[in-house]
Amino acid sequence: MLGDRQAAFPYSGTLREKLRSLLRYAVYAPSTHNTQPWIFKLSEDAVEVYADRGRALTHLDPDRREMTMSIGAAIDHLRLAMVC
């Protein structure tokens, strides 16, 4: 399965195509109760990450600490995909 993903990476593609491909790994990051509380905004040469406050678990995580850690995990997955 991983080999299929590596083969599908657009080595000769644009930076945007490469970033889009790398985002496939970022969404596999663990998150609190699998809420995936992040939004990725892709431009031609950058990825921005935002908290999706609509996915916040306000009763279980009133300070949004776990939400912040979940977003950090997604960013870390993206960074790891970039170096692998």
Side-chain angles (χ1 to χ4, degrees):
M1 186 171 186
L2 184 57
D4 293 340
R5 288 193 188 128
Q6 287 175 342
F9 185 79
Y11 288 100
S12 60
T14 65
L15 180 56
R16 181 183 174 90
E17 291 169 336
K18 291 174 183 178
L19 291 172
R20 181 182 298 275
S21 179
L22 292 169
L23 283 174
R24 290 183 295 171
Y25 296 98
V27 299
Y28 285 114
S31 60
T32 304
H33 296 281
N34 200 30
T35 55
Q36 299 179 337
W38 49 72
I39 298 171
F40 293 102
K41 181 179 176 188
L42 183 61
S43 67
E44 291 302 316
D45 61 353
V47 175
E48 296 176 14
V49 185
Y50 298 94
D52 185 349
R53 299 195 187 279
R55 292 178 177 239
L57 302 174
T58 54
H59 295 301
L60 297 174
D61 188 22
D63 297 326
R64 294 191 172 99
R65 179 179 178 271
E66 292 182 32
M67 178 184 205
T68 302
M69 289 189 308
S70 297
I71 294 167
I75 293 168
D76 194 44
H77 271 61
L78 177 60
R79 291 179 64 219
L80 286 171
M82 289 178 175
V83 298
C84 291

